[in-house]
Amino acid sequence: MRKILITGGAGFIGSNFVLYMRKRYPSDRIIVFDKLTYAGNLENLKSLSSGPEYLFIKGDIKDFEILDRIFGKEEIDAIVNFAAESHVDRSILGPKAFIETNVLGTFALLEVARKHWGASKDKRFLHVSTDEVYGSLGDTGYFTEATPYSPNSPYAASKASSDHLVRAYFHTYGLPVVTTNCSNNYGPYQFPEKLMPLMIINALKGKNLPVYGDGQNVRDWLYVEDHCRAIDMVLDKGRGGETYNIGGKNEKKNIDLVNEVCSIIDERLSADKGLSARYPFKGSRKGLIHFVKDRPGHDRRYAIDCAKIEKELGWRPEHSFEAGIRKTIDWYLENPGWWERIISGEYRDYYETQYKERLVEKRSE
Ligand code: NAD
Ligand code: DAU
């Protein structure tokens, strides 16, 4: 039985990972530590209840004292650090929170791990990072683990800084770290400010589909469950101090992706009277596409070479883009309450009105 601290476990990838690990390792104790920023949603974890195998703690990874207390009380075996400010557009509008969480937060987490673990070989600090640290590609080539860092947005620069700190703690203190750099994820529970859920929800509601610039920017799309499986494998077998690239082998131009979302939604709704009554629309949803002002400093192309994780750990993406996108659209069709509560802002009350009340009830039982 392991005790795993999962930071940022109420966000998109973090909550998918928590649910994945819960199913795969039922006796591990999972402690989710999350600040519940706008991107954290405890509703994602509502199927879990507090007990010996699961605990949620609300807190900021920048807060050394609270982390220190957790480490003092629980014999933590592994940390998986998902906690971050993750949206590029927000980093352009206001970079400060990105420096605070992604840089200073990762630093505090590393300090706590160093204090309690030192160079212990039995422990594991897995830092979840992004391919954006490598900058932008031209029409050809791939990011490998040897590609020099060249971050372009404040988000990417803050993640690059955190990766360098993680690397330095291995080289200087022998802290048992490993870093993953992944491409664009999509799937259930993704906050609807990101391209995929934004386009699905707007297309359902018959709202404009804003495509930045000329729509020719390329991203490498990975279904989130495949990312979770990769992290599990790196946690278990990845070599200390190493970095592993993770990608979907699914390069898509943004405009092609949005066109595909429109076609699948048109097709799904025209085959289902209930759904077409709920989301009425005449004509093709491609007509909702609008080209808008480009994102400043918009990286042109990302593409991952994941030969290292394939060869060393035997990981491969299992979802084709065709399968993953259909599964994702179905999830948003089946869970309208989840995204409607985000749009209305109601999801922000979940912790106060439901989670805390349940805890109080449980304690007074
Ligand atoms: P997200 O924005 O959906 O979730 C981030 C979570 O971190 C939220 O639950 C939020 O409440 C929490 N958080 C934010 N600041 C915190 C703080 N100071 N202390 C504690 N918790 C805090 O992000 P995501 O898309 O799930 O990304 C998770 C991680 O994976 C990030 O580190 C991101 O850089 C990385 N990543 C994301 C993608 C992607 O496509 N989404 C791809 C590669 C890597
Ligand atoms: O590559 C990994 C990264 O992928 C992660 O590190 C980030 O956390 C994650 O947010 C994601 O970053 P992107 O900037 O690539 O994701 P986003 O969904 O914001 O945008 C994807 C592409 O779509 C990008 O080229 C910008 C474009 N876009 C985005 C939005 C929100 C649009 O054209 N219109 C939009 O409305």
Side-chain angles (χ1 to χ4, degrees):
M1 187 201 107
R2 294 173 295 182
K3 282 192 186 178
I4 309 178
L5 180 71
I6 302 181
T7 66
F12 162 47
I13 309 174
S15 61
N16 275 282
F17 183 71
V18 169
L19 297 174
Y20 174 90
M21 293 295 277
R22 176 71 304 138
K23 213 165 151 189
R24 193 160 151 75
Y25 307 102
S27 56
D28 280 354
R29 176 160 169 79
I30 292 177
I31 301 170
V32 173
F33 184 82
D34 197 298
K35 186 178 173 183
L36 297 182
T37 66
Y38 79 93
N41 186 352
L42 261 192
E43 202 182 322
N44 302 1
L45 301 174
K46 69 172 186 222
S47 59
L48 307 179
S49 43
S50 300
E53 284 92 28
Y54 172 69
L55 177 67
F56 174 79
I57 301 171
K58 187 174 180 203
D60 189 327
I61 55 162
K62 222 168 66 254
D63 188 341
F64 179 91
E65 313 299 329
I66 182 171
L67 290 166
D68 192 31
R69 279 205 298 278
I70 295 170
F71 270 73
K73 236 174 127 185
E74 307 262 359
E75 185 100 354
I76 302 287
D77 297 300
I79 301 173
V80 185
N81 181 29
F82 291 98
E85 287 293 336
S86 70
H87 192 40
V88 174
D89 290 335
R90 284 182 191 255
S91 83
I92 295 167
L93 291 170
K96 191 162 176 245
F98 288 73
I99 305 305
E100 284 175 352
T101 289
N102 303 358
V103 185
L104 298 178
T106 305
F107 167 66
L109 211 49
L110 286 164
E111 276 292 88
V112 171
R114 177 166 82 93
K115 176 176 167 189
H116 291 268
W117 294 350
S120 167
K121 295 252 182 310
D122 307 332
K123 307 291 187 183
R124 186 67 113 182
F125 186 116
L126 192 155
H127 178 61
V128 179
S129 192
T130 168
D131 60 358
E132 300 205 8
V133 296
Y134 298 123
S136 184
L137 291 165
D139 290 339
T140 57
Y142 296 91
F143 297 134
T144 73
E145 288 80 1
T147 303
Y149 273 30
S150 185
N152 289 321
S153 69
Y155 162 69
S158 68
K159 290 297 288 187
S161 313
S162 65
D163 294 7
H164 287 320
L165 281 170
V166 170
R167 178 192 154 87
Y169 272 63
F170 175 77
H171 283 271
T172 309
Y173 307 114
L175 192 74
V177 305
V178 62
T179 297
T180 54
N181 295 89
C182 189
S183 63
N184 285 63
N185 283 218
Y186 67 102
Y189 302 117
Q190 187 165 29
F191 197 83
E193 63 187 350
K194 306 278 167 67
L195 182 72
M196 187 76 90
L198 182 76
M199 294 299 151
I200 296 172
I201 293 167
N202 279 11
L204 289 174
K205 296 175 77 165
K207 289 174 72 177
N208 277 348
L209 307 176
V211 173
Y212 297 167
D214 61 5
Q216 299 297 306
N217 302 67
V218 174
R219 297 293 182 264
D220 173 0
W221 293 91
L222 178 70
Y223 190 67
V224 64
E225 194 183 302
D226 283 327
H227 187 190
C228 294
R229 200 164 36 79
I231 292 174
D232 178 25
M233 289 170 105
V234 174
L235 189 62
D236 191 30
K237 296 196 247 79
R239 283 185 293 134
E242 291 290 318
T243 65
Y244 292 88
N245 280 357
I246 304 168
K249 299 187 175 176
N250 263 313
E251 285 184 56
K252 290 271 169 198
K253 287 181 179 155
N254 291 340
I255 186 64
D256 295 339
L257 183 147
V258 177
N259 274 319
E260 253 176 280
V261 168
C262 291
S263 301
I264 297 172
I265 290 182
D266 285 344
E267 177 204 304
R268 281 285 280 111
L269 268 54
S270 66
D272 185 318
K273 280 206 180 106
L275 284 177
S276 53
R278 182 171 183 145
Y279 303 111
F281 189 77
K282 282 202 172 61
S284 162
R285 285 176 169 78
K286 288 180 187 167
L288 296 169
I289 295 174
H290 281 71
F291 290 94
V292 299
K293 197 165 172 259
D294 209 354
R295 172 186 278 175
H298 196 174
D299 284 339
R300 195 63 171 169
R301 175 173 165 258
Y302 303 145
I304 284 272
D305 175 342
C306 42
K308 179 173 171 181
I309 190 171
E310 283 184 355
K311 273 200 209 111
E312 279 191 24
L313 307 183
W315 176 87
R316 248 164 219 87
E318 281 176 359
H319 290 79
S320 66
F321 187 71
E322 177 68 9
I325 195 172
R326 282 181 182 274
K327 233 170 141 172
T328 303
I329 289 173
D330 282 348
W331 189 86
Y332 286 86
L333 281 171
E334 283 155 18
N335 295 280
W338 181 86
W339 50 265
E340 278 161 2
R341 279 188 286 281
I342 290 184
I343 292 168
S344 69
E346 223 182 301
Y347 80 109
R348 302 286 279 155
D349 302 334
Y350 189 84
Y351 177 73
E352 290 300 328
T353 59
Q354 303 204 34
Y355 188 78
K356 258 167 104 180
E357 269 172 27
R358 262 200 289 141
L359 269 188
V360 173
E361 269 166 33
K362 228 174 170 266
R363 282 190 192 126
S364 54
E365 265 166 20

